Amino acid sequence: MAATRSLSRTVALIKINHPPVNALSTPVCEALIKEFAEAIKDPSIEAIVLCGANGKFCAGADIREFSSASRRTVSLEGINAEIESSKKPVVAAIEGVALGGGLELALSCHYRVAHIKAVVGLPEVLIGILPAAGGTQRLPRLIGIPAALDIIVRGRHVPATEAFQLGIVDEVVQSSAIDAAVQMARKVIGKPLASRRLSTNTVQYNINVDAFLDTALEKAKRQFRGAQAPLACIDAVRASAQLPYQRGIEKERQLFASLWATGQPQAQQYAFFAERNVGKWTLPSGERWDNVRPCPVRTAAVIGLGTMGRGIVTSLSKANIPVIALEQDTKQLDLGKKAVNGLLEREAEKLKKQGSSSPDGNGLGSVHFTLNFEDLKEVDLVIEAVYENMNLKKEVFRKLSSVMKPDAFLCTNTSGLDIDEIASVTHRPELVIGTHFFSPANIMRLLEVVRGRHTSPTTIATAMSLGKTLGKVAVLVGNCPLFVGNRMLGPYLDQANYLLEEGYYPEEVDQALEEFGFAMGPFRMMDLAGLDVGWRSRMEKGLTGSRVPPGTPARQREGKRYCPLADMLCELGRFGQKSGKGWYQYEKPGGRNARPDPWIRDFLDKYRNTYHIKQQAISPEQILQRCLYALINEGFRILEDGIASGPEDIDVIYNNGYGWPKHRGGPMFHASAVGLHEVLMVLEGYHKANPDVPSMKPSFLLKKLAAVGGPPIKEWRTQLGKLPNKL
């Protein structure tokens, strides 16, 4: 049953029952309107409690119905209006979650009781829409515009204790919210309900609302570059202050329809489902996420306490997993210990504020710091996070293989080195796997899980399960140089550099990509990461420095185009933010405020004159095509090579680890939206004019998909069947 009714003396209990999260599908909405109508008519019932089955109130509308034009015979706002107008008090008993339409449903009730571990929120903005069942009109009437705007525009999940402080809920309980709601319902029988009907209230404020919302709008335009949903949310909240409730509801509906017409909701909902499904991995041999049992990870260790290691230790501790952290010398250990303890103190403070710390501790796993490999011999899993050097990593894995218990898992946090070569120095290659975290590891959600040739299904299942435990979005990928994300980044950065050679300046390239929606353009990103990181890598590969053969043309390597600009900056000590100068200039070494540098303009002008490079007229649209299509083309090659199981996995990686704007779905979704034939034509034209840039030669798979009419992205997997699979 979608919704059921029972009786506790004179209080009717209406329960939403639609596993797993009680989503408000059309049958649920129809059942709710029926149950409420009968309870309101029944003279033996004096009050109503609305709750959800299985410890969850309601996680909102059924997202799968959004694409249906006539998706329901009764609207959620229609149900909310019925509930709110009831002359019998209605109390919402919130357990688990009340999100989106679930919170809108609760706001239509006259009172709300929440369990202390419940969370509420209106996260619709995260899937490209806005609350469209009165949420943008009722919430400001309840808690005021500033607090409501923060929750709606950020799509924030609000813990029950904060919801009580804000006034969203009337009571927070540590025992059964349903029992407490029944008690409250009995207490309020016969009491006036006029002030409890939020739609009849006016928004209370003591600020200049227009000025406040104008400021919020400008901030949102900067923060959510190109995303329309946050702006629509602000417009809807403005309507709550300026218009009567019913006209505000009409404005809410108009804004919802206009958002749907942009295509952004479809892109964000694709990204939502891709992220939800990415953990459902399958191997060519038939083992799958649902038939291989992961091993429990009760204790873990981390080798190396640099920036990445510190973040990994913090992530494990946040997941309440005891950690042993190892460094090579006392100085590095003390530095790492101080940094980790600082991070953990902040996490403990957050847990305390949320009421999540346990009675016997702070809710964090213990951390033991050591210099001794012998201390690791009983842990279940170790994550190596030392400097990105193959010889160093192999030395560490030799030690781990000899010291750790035979069934311990050995993970490497390499960002692109060969997993099989690392595993070759151990006695247990089947227990070796790549776990590529992203910095800062205690904040960034992405985890690339890299399968080596000998990695066992149980090792994969355990690493993927650990990622979920750590709150990461874990994506299984195959083993190749740079894996998925960084491999795609190479051609993208190459094109950005070539654009500088051809007449553009760093701030112009960055601006085009940031206006597209990237959090940061390529040159600001390189300055943040440190130009010396790539420089060292290129020196190790013999692309620059003393290992380049004499007489090699400055702008060519092995017959391929090469851009030496970044090498030249590094030779001058311009490493980016850390040195105060890179592609931009900063207020000081370590500064964050990037300013265009006149020196760079002069440097680039002289470089072009030296190599007789004619400045070309290139539009912002061409900047996007060159950089993005290079990225996308490499994505198709990754699919050809069997390194990712489908385009959705690539998009999840870019959405969560590389700053791709989620309102554009991901690079492969973007290719599908633009049209594969269009992408193919641009790449073919560029490669014909520039045959020394092989990364822009259209991939076989792109040509194949374009030749069959550019099918929807959900059908691409059917074309991948005969390609190799390295998962």
Side-chain angles (χ1 to χ4, degrees):
M1 292 289 288
T4 57
R5 179 161 48 96
S6 57
L7 198 61
S8 175
R9 288 187 284 175
T10 58
V11 177
L13 196 65
I14 295 177
K15 185 174 288 188
I16 305 167
N17 190 359
H18 182 205
V21 292
N22 297 328
L24 295 166
S25 63
T26 297
V28 169
C29 289
E30 290 170 348
L32 278 174
I33 202 79
K34 173 178 173 289
E35 295 296 343
F36 266 100
E38 292 178 2
I40 288 165
K41 279 187 219 166
D42 190 334
S44 68
I45 292 172
E46 297 182 273
I48 301 166
V49 166
L50 176 63
C51 64
N54 305 313
K56 293 180 179 71
F57 182 73
C58 173
D62 190 333
I63 192 173
R64 290 167 296 190
E65 294 187 353
F66 283 5
S67 58
S68 171
S70 54
R71 65 187 179 90
R72 44 175 93 236
T73 53
V74 57
S75 72
L76 180 54
E77 174 49 23
I79 298 170
N80 291 342
E82 284 289 318
I83 292 171
E84 192 179 64
S85 64
S86 167
K87 294 178 181 176
K88 299 174 182 181
V90 182
V91 183
I94 300 172
E95 295 184 320
V97 293
L99 298 173
L103 179 57
E104 289 176 303
L105 195 62
L107 290 172
S108 72
C109 299
H110 306 116
Y111 297 89
R112 288 160 291 282
V113 176
H115 187 270
I116 194 166
K117 290 189 176 177
V119 292
V120 304
L122 295 170
E124 285 89 344
V125 70
L126 303 178
I127 53 170
I129 57 174
L130 81 168
T136 66
Q137 305 304 299
R138 284 192 176 92
L139 191 61
R141 286 170 163 80
L142 180 62
I143 64 173
I145 283 178
L149 197 71
D150 176 64
I151 290 168
I152 294 168
V153 171
R154 291 170 59 197
R156 195 162 67 82
H157 288 196
V158 182
T161 49
E162 185 187 351
F164 175 71
Q165 290 163 0
L166 289 171
I168 298 174
V169 300
D170 302 290
E171 186 181 353
V172 173
V173 296
Q174 298 203 20
S175 53
S176 168
I178 297 173
D179 291 346
V182 169
Q183 289 176 20
M184 179 178 279
R186 290 199 179 109
K187 285 180 191 172
V188 298
I189 289 171
K191 290 190 177 180
L193 294 176
S195 65
R196 308 297 302 186
R197 295 185 178 107
L198 296 179
S199 70
T200 64
N201 297 344
T202 56
V203 177
Q204 301 297 314
Y205 49 85
N206 56 5
I207 57 172
N208 182 329
V209 171
D210 279 336
F212 175 81
L213 291 172
D214 287 346
T215 302
L217 193 64
E218 288 308 309
K219 182 182 176 184
K221 285 178 181 176
R222 291 192 303 272
Q223 184 178 354
F224 304 105
R225 298 173 182 273
Q228 295 302 305
L231 313 185
C233 288
I234 294 170
D235 284 347
V237 170
R238 193 189 295 272
S240 74
Q242 294 179 342
L243 300 175
Y245 178 80
Q246 202 52 47
R247 284 184 59 199
I249 286 291
E250 290 167 12
K251 179 70 172 176
E252 194 181 70
R253 288 177 189 150
Q254 289 168 8
L255 288 165
F256 184 95
S258 67
L259 280 175
W260 197 259
T262 67
Q264 291 188 8
Q266 295 89 324
Q268 287 187 245
Q269 286 157 34
Y270 158 85
F272 173 85
F273 282 114
E275 195 170 301
R276 177 185 281 184
N277 293 327
V278 77
K280 297 177 180 177
W281 52 273
T282 300
L283 303 182
S285 50
E287 291 93 343
R288 296 160 36 102
W289 63 279
D290 56 355
N291 66 18
V292 180
R293 187 188 296 273
C295 292
V297 178
R298 299 186 182 91
T299 55
V302 176
I303 314 293
L305 287 174
T307 302
M308 190 65 83
R310 296 166 188 176
I312 296 170
V313 170
T314 305
S315 293
L316 289 162
S317 178
K318 277 168 65 178
N320 208 11
I321 297 172
V323 194
I324 299 174
L326 183 142
E327 253 299 353
Q328 60 181 341
D329 59 52
T330 303
K331 181 182 177 183
Q332 294 302 318
L333 188 71
D334 289 345
L335 283 171
K337 183 176 182 179
K338 183 179 178 182
V340 168
N341 285 340
L343 291 169
L344 292 178
E345 281 169 17
R346 288 196 283 276
E347 292 299 333
E349 193 60 37
K350 281 186 207 168
L351 291 172
K352 190 176 177 184
K353 282 181 182 174
Q354 294 168 6
S356 305
S357 52
S358 58
D360 55 348
N362 59 13
L364 299 171
S366 63
V367 182
H368 171 67
F369 297 89
T370 186
L371 297 170
N372 190 353
F373 271 85
E374 288 293 325
D375 291 348
L376 313 185
K377 60 185 181 183
E378 292 302 322
V379 301
D380 297 322
L381 177 146
V382 64
I383 300 170
E384 163 274 308
V386 301
Y387 172 66
E388 192 76 346
N389 176 277
M390 179 59 81
N391 290 333
L392 177 59
K393 288 183 185 288
K394 285 162 80 171
E395 180 187 335
V396 168
F397 270 74
R398 281 191 194 94
K399 287 182 184 175
L400 292 174
S401 186
S402 64
V403 166
M404 296 184 70
K405 62 183 182 180
D407 58 349
F409 298 98
L410 311 184
C411 308
T412 173
N413 178 54
T414 176
S415 58
L417 296 179
D418 185 353
I419 303 299
D420 294 327
E421 187 174 345
I422 294 171
S424 69
V425 301
T426 74
H427 305 303
R428 55 181 98 179
E430 74 283 358
L431 299 180
V432 176
I433 195 164
T435 49
H436 178 204
F437 288 81
F438 287 71
S439 186
N442 53 311
I443 295 171
M444 293 292 284
R445 296 180 67 221
L446 181 63
L447 176 66
E448 276 186 320
V449 175
V450 190
R451 184 193 186 190
R453 186 185 302 117
H454 302 291
T455 306
S456 73
T458 300
T459 304
I460 293 169
T462 302
M464 294 291 284
S465 174
L466 178 64
K468 188 174 181 180
T469 301
L470 299 183
K472 305 297 183 189
V473 180
V475 186
L476 181 64
V477 301
N479 181 30
C480 71
L482 302 177
F483 313 138
V484 171
N486 285 346
R487 174 174 161 179
M488 290 172 66
L489 200 61
Y492 167 82
L493 295 179
D494 285 345
Q495 287 299 319
N497 282 313
Y498 299 159
L499 287 163
L500 296 194
E501 290 185 315
E502 293 163 23
Y504 267 79
Y505 297 102
E507 60 272 20
E508 293 170 331
V509 176
D510 281 351
Q511 182 181 350
L513 287 152
E514 287 167 10
E515 287 179 355
F516 176 80
F518 276 96
M520 196 176 285
F523 295 103
R524 287 210 301 136
M525 181 188 74
M526 285 188 272
D527 270 4
L528 174 64
L531 299 182
D532 54 319
V533 176
W535 187 42
R536 278 199 304 267
S537 173
R538 290 190 296 277
M539 283 196 284
E540 287 176 7
K541 292 174 183 174
L543 294 173
T544 189
S546 59
R547 291 170 57 192
V548 177
T552 300
R555 299 178 58 231
Q556 272 200 345
R557 297 292 184 271
E558 297 178 353
K560 300 173 189 173
R561 183 171 175 180
Y562 181 79
C563 177
L565 286 169
D567 302 333
M568 295 165 74
L569 292 189
C570 289
E571 287 163 8
L572 295 168
R574 296 181 69 109
F575 299 140
Q577 286 185 8
K578 64 177 71 174
S579 64
K581 291 178 181 178
W583 292 113
Y584 293 88
Q585 59 180 332
Y586 300 85
E587 66 275 18
K588 60 181 181 180
R592 298 292 180 91
N593 183 25
R595 299 190 309 274
D597 191 343
W599 184 92
I600 284 284
R601 285 192 163 238
D602 184 56
F603 165 74
L604 289 172
D605 290 342
K606 288 176 180 173
Y607 174 89
R608 294 172 197 136
N609 287 334
T610 299
Y611 293 104
H612 310 292
I613 302 170
K614 188 177 178 182
Q615 195 159 336
Q616 299 180 24
I618 304 171
S619 67
E621 182 186 6
Q622 287 174 300
I623 293 174
L624 293 180
Q625 288 179 340
R626 295 251 311 256
C627 293
L628 301 183
Y629 294 179
L631 184 84
I632 287 163
N633 196 40
E634 195 63 34
F636 278 112
R637 285 205 179 92
I638 283 166
L639 293 175
E640 276 179 33
D641 294 345
I643 299 300
S645 67
E648 299 87 350
D649 292 14
I650 292 173
D651 286 338
V652 169
I653 286 169
Y654 260 78
N655 288 338
N656 289 284
Y658 292 86
W660 184 278
K662 274 195 178 177
H663 64 270
R664 296 189 185 273
M668 308 316 285
F669 182 90
H670 181 65
S672 181
V674 168
L676 299 188
H677 184 73
E678 163 70 15
V679 176
L680 177 61
M681 290 298 99
V682 171
L683 287 170
E684 282 184 337
Y686 180 86
H687 186 253
K688 186 176 180 180
N690 300 272
D692 58 346
V693 184
S695 62
M696 295 294 269
K697 182 180 180 181
S699 73
F700 164 77
L701 182 58
L702 170 58
K703 290 193 284 189
K704 180 180 178 183
L705 289 170
V708 294
I713 195 166
K714 63 184 178 183
E715 295 176 16
W716 291 6
R717 283 180 189 256
T718 60
Q719 302 291 331
L720 299 177
K722 295 179 182 178
L723 295 170
N725 188 322
K726 294 186 180 177
L727 296 183

